[in-house]
Amino acid sequence: MSIEDRSITYENPPIVEVAISTQFEPPRGLTQAHLGAYWADCRQNYPQVHATQVLPATTEEFGSRRAWLPPSIRLALTDEPDSRIQMTSADSVWMLQAQSNRIVVNWRRTSEDPASYPRFEGTWQRFKGAWDHWIQFLTSVGLPAPQPTHWEIVYVNRVGRGPLWNKPTDWPAVLPGLWGHGFATIPETTLAGIHGQWVWESRDPPARLFIEPKPGRGPAPKLEDYLLFNLTARGRIDLAPPTPNGDDSHLHGIEKGIQWGKRLIVNAFDRIISPEAKVEWKRRDYDNHFDN
């Protein structure tokens, strides 16, 4: 289990959102009423709430069961209508999302100040607190602890027009690790955007890294154009037996996966961007620091 011994950080990365999540088997007996009660329990830290469609369940297979297909989506028939609740902090920086089979913590950039970015450790600590609270809540209402199946970490990057690009045909100069030879020129057309996904795998531990660049546009009235590129790492969780002190939250297995996913993402980010982007986003090496 090794990947790049060097330590990397960026003082001013283009990150606008980080999400850490765990998918689990739905606890038997969990209903939408419980999710409403859960928000009431979280309301002090997340006073705003919104209900939306659920995130589809994913299943990552590796080894002999691997198939060259997108992660499968599992469907289940139930009489209980399902939804996802999005709970937001008063300053809109943090979001806690809960549905019958997933807990997600999102950090979202609301300030251009680089110091506003809490780094990985800040987001992980927020997730760890949310997971512990979720376990405590389920116990308090007489429901079983969830059995996690997958970990996932997502970094969303946004690059506006400026020193690195002015038109979509400039994007290979920003991400040469994805488009090393540039785009084809097609007569009588203008490249307006792109949609695609690059997929890498690690064997030990088994995990997948997905990189998806795409065009984006900001809100009115400016309607600014952006180059967005998302880096997502995901893998299965090896469930260890409860520890001697009785801890069955499986937090160790979740953390092991998330830490590996973060390392995959940081190294991939460093490999796909251009030297000019590294200067613009203030890349630094530290002997004893690995954070992004």
Side-chain angles (χ1 to χ4, degrees):
M1 180 176 174
S2 64
I3 182 172
E4 295 289 340
D5 294 329
R6 59 185 177 156
S7 298
I8 308 165
T9 193
Y10 284 80
E11 293 184 7
N12 189 27
I15 298 171
V16 293
E17 184 170 357
V18 177
I20 295 177
S21 69
T22 295
Q23 182 177 291
F24 45 83
E25 295 296 336
R28 185 178 298 275
L30 181 69
T31 68
Q32 291 298 294
H34 288 117
L35 293 182
Y38 177 59
W39 172 62
D41 219 31
C42 300
R43 190 169 183 174
Q44 183 174 353
N45 294 323
Y46 300 95
Q48 306 171 60
V49 68
H50 174 72
T52 188
Q53 292 182 333
V54 298
L55 297 169
T58 59
T59 301
E60 296 289 352
E61 300 291 356
F62 298 92
S64 60
R65 300 175 63 183
R66 174 188 179 278
W68 184 243
L69 292 171
S72 63
I73 297 177
R74 298 186 299 173
L75 302 177
L77 298 178
T78 176
D79 294 332
E80 176 73 20
D82 205 3
S83 67
R84 169 170 43 119
I85 57 171
Q86 297 177 319
M87 300 165 279
T88 310
S89 61
D91 59 7
S92 299
V93 171
W94 294 100
M95 178 184 289
L96 170 59
Q97 304 185 70
Q99 62 185 50
S100 63
N101 66 347
R102 190 187 292 259
I103 289 289
V104 189
V105 166
N106 304 66
W107 168 82
R108 301 178 298 176
R109 184 179 293 281
T110 59
S111 168
E112 295 303 318
D113 180 5
S116 66
Y117 174 38
R119 299 287 163 176
F120 166 81
E121 188 60 29
T123 310
W124 167 250
Q125 290 300 324
R126 176 71 65 137
F127 173 84
K128 186 164 67 171
W131 180 253
D132 288 341
H133 186 207
W134 175 240
I135 300 291
Q136 294 167 11
F137 169 79
L138 293 176
T139 301
S140 71
V141 296
L143 295 178
Q147 301 294 305
T149 60
H150 289 75
W151 56 266
E152 183 177 281
I153 178 169
V154 182
Y155 279 56
V156 179
N157 299 275
R158 184 179 68 198
V159 187
R161 292 180 187 270
L164 296 177
W165 74 275
N166 284 293
K167 53 187 182 299
T169 50
D170 297 332
W171 290 355
V174 183
L175 302 174
L178 298 183
W179 300 303
H181 300 288
F183 300 129
T185 299
I186 301 176
E188 301 181 27
T189 68
T190 300
L191 181 67
I194 189 169
H195 180 79
Q197 188 178 71
W198 282 252
V199 184
W200 283 264
E201 292 184 352
S202 69
R203 292 185 178 181
D204 182 22
R208 288 196 177 93
L209 171 69
F210 305 85
I211 301 181
E212 183 178 8
K214 57 186 177 181
R217 177 161 292 178
K222 291 185 178 181
L223 297 176
E224 296 176 279
D225 290 327
Y226 297 112
L227 164 60
L228 299 173
F229 60 103
N230 301 349
L231 295 94
T232 301
R234 183 190 305 124
R236 296 188 64 85
I237 296 173
D238 293 326
L239 296 183
T243 59
N245 63 7
D247 178 19
D248 61 353
S249 70
H250 303 297
L251 187 61
H252 176 73
I254 298 171
E255 181 175 14
K256 181 180 177 181
I258 293 295
Q259 289 283 358
W260 181 250
K262 185 261 291 188
R263 291 176 68 87
L264 288 174
I265 287 174
V266 171
N267 277 279
F269 179 90
D270 193 61
R271 290 299 185 95
I272 67 174
I273 68 174
S274 67
E276 293 78 12
K278 292 178 181 179
V279 172
E280 179 71 17
W281 299 329
K282 299 182 180 179
R283 182 191 191 277
R284 300 288 184 267
D285 285 328
Y286 293 94
D287 292 338
N288 298 307
H289 183 74
F290 197 115
D291 204 355
N292 198 18

